[in-house]
Every structure is written in structure tokens, then in C-alpha cells.
Amino acid sequence: MIAPRPPTTTPAPSNTRHGDFMETQWLAFSIAALMVTVAPGPDTFLVIGNALSGGVRRGLATVAGILTGGLFHVSLFAFGVARLLMYSERAFWTVKMLGAVYLIYLGAKALRSALRPRADADIDGAAPANASLWRGYAQGVLTNALNPKIAIFYLAFLPQFLAPGDDMAVQSVLMIGLHYLMGTVWLSLLAFGAARMAASMRSARVARTLDGIVGSLMLGFGVKLAWSSR
């Protein structure tokens, strides 16, 4: 008598396993990217400081500049140029020092504003609106683009979330794009919140105190960037 054959099981399609893996990795990346996004950094305090001093429009202009600087880093990553910052000590040091000097300049400028005597009426006497918006935008671009640690961060952070395959470059760009989308939403909310808070605190003493806080933080971030390594 011939024993019956055991039933055969069909293995799960490889593309199904690959899809499940990608979903898990994207979820893990989204959580990690959200935590990085809400962690305070130079971008955070630059947006808050500009929204406090120039209103929500200047805050949002700063956010747009930060996003532009982010697109610059996405381009570097997509074309492989970002690896130069990881393997070339001179390139990394040069860009790092440029970024540190600019952060220190912004901090010193805010501290000088904090130390300058002014009356309550001087708070509304700001620079022309268009000049103020362009200044905020340029500050956002330079603060982001001149920070080489952003490119190094992505080179070190992304590989653990990428699914193996021919589309790893596309995955990388999409993940960076998602991270900057989160950052844009978060920083925009901060700009609106800071502008509303400033509207209810129109006094010279409060303005000088806030300038001092933001200036000190920007100085600290500049010194930290200058002393940092890859």
C-alpha cells in the first residue's frame, strides 16, 4: 500500500515578503524621522526668532529657505556628491566651518540686538517687508545648506531603513523628502505659534530677552558645529 503524499505548501511570493519588509521599514523610518524633526536645532530657533521679530510671514519665509537648503542636500545625496563630505576631511571641514561661522554670526547679531536699548514703539519699526522676507529666506537657505552634518546624517541614518534592490536611490530620495515634509509642517506650526505669541508681548524688554535667548542658542549651535566631527 502506497502512503499518501503529505500536502505541499506553496511558499509565499517573494514580492509579498519584500512588500511587507518595505512597509515595516517605512513605518520605522517615519517614527524615527518624526523624533528627529521635533528635536530642537538651529532651524527650530531660527524660525522662532524670525517669527517673533518679523511675524508669521518672515517665519514662513525662513521655513521656505530651510526647505530650499534641504533640496540642496537631496540633490547632493541623489548624485552621490554627499559621499565627498564623508570621505574628504578637507571638504567636510571647509563646509562645516562656513556653517559654524554663519551660525555664530546670526547669534552675535541677535545678542547685539538684545543689548541695544529700544523703546516699545521701536518693535514695529522693522525693515521693509520684502527685505525682511528675503533676509529670512536667505538665512534659512544658508543655515541648512552650510551644515555638512545633515548630509553625513543621511548617509549614516538611511541605510538601515532601505530595502535591498535596484531602487535604493529612489527610496533614499523619497525618505529624505518625507523627512523634509515633516519638518516643513512642524516648523510652519512653530512660525504661526511664535508669531501669535509675539503679538501679545509687544514690549521692548520681552523682545530683548527673546533676542538674547535665540542669540545664545545660535551661538551655542555654531560652536558645537565648529567642534564637531563626523
Side-chain angles (χ1 to χ4, degrees):
M1 182 176 180
I2 302 176
R5 294 182 179 179
T8 58
T9 58
T10 304
S14 59
N15 58 349
T16 301
R17 292 198 301 269
H18 180 73
D20 293 341
F21 176 80
M22 287 192 64
E23 288 180 6
T24 303
Q25 295 303 92
W26 272 93
L27 178 59
F29 172 79
S30 299
I31 295 173
L34 182 60
M35 295 175 65
V36 172
T37 297
V38 299
D43 293 347
T44 305
F45 294 104
L46 182 64
V47 169
I48 292 175
N50 280 346
L52 287 172
S53 62
V56 66
R57 292 182 62 197
R58 185 172 181 184
L60 292 178
T62 308
V63 174
I66 291 169
L67 181 60
T68 303
L71 293 176
F72 171 75
H73 282 290
V74 171
S75 301
L76 292 184
F77 195 93
F79 291 105
V81 182
R83 292 189 176 276
L84 177 66
L85 296 174
M86 175 171 281
Y87 297 114
S88 172
E89 185 69 32
R90 178 173 297 181
F92 177 82
W93 186 88
T94 301
V95 178
K96 178 189 75 170
M97 293 309 296
L98 287 173
V101 168
Y102 187 66
L103 287 175
I104 291 171
Y105 162 75
L106 292 178
K109 185 178 178 182
L111 287 178
R112 186 182 65 180
S113 177
L115 295 173
R116 186 177 67 243
R118 57 183 131 166
D120 291 353
D122 294 338
I123 299 176
D124 296 321
N130 289 337
S132 178
L133 294 180
W134 277 110
R135 190 178 300 119
Y137 175 80
Q139 289 173 351
V141 173
L142 292 174
T143 301
N144 209 270
L146 292 179
N147 188 351
K149 300 215 36 106
I150 295 177
I152 300 299
F153 167 78
Y154 284 131
L155 286 172
F157 183 67
L158 285 184
Q160 59 188 311
F161 299 104
L162 298 177
D166 297 332
D167 60 344
M168 291 182 68
V170 176
Q171 293 179 56
S172 300
V173 172
L174 290 176
M175 284 184 173
I176 296 175
L178 175 61
H179 185 205
Y180 270 93
L181 177 62
M182 291 179 177
T184 300
V185 173
W186 171 244
L187 292 176
S188 297
L189 291 174
L190 290 179
F192 278 103
R196 292 197 63 176
M197 183 174 67
S200 61
M201 298 187 306
R202 289 292 181 183
S203 76
R205 177 175 294 182
V206 172
R208 291 175 62 187
T209 301
L210 292 174
D211 281 342
I213 293 173
V214 173
S216 300
L217 289 169
M218 297 302 284
L219 268 178
F221 284 122
V223 172
K224 181 181 179 182
L225 179 60
W227 282 96
S228 66
S229 61
R230 288 176 296 181

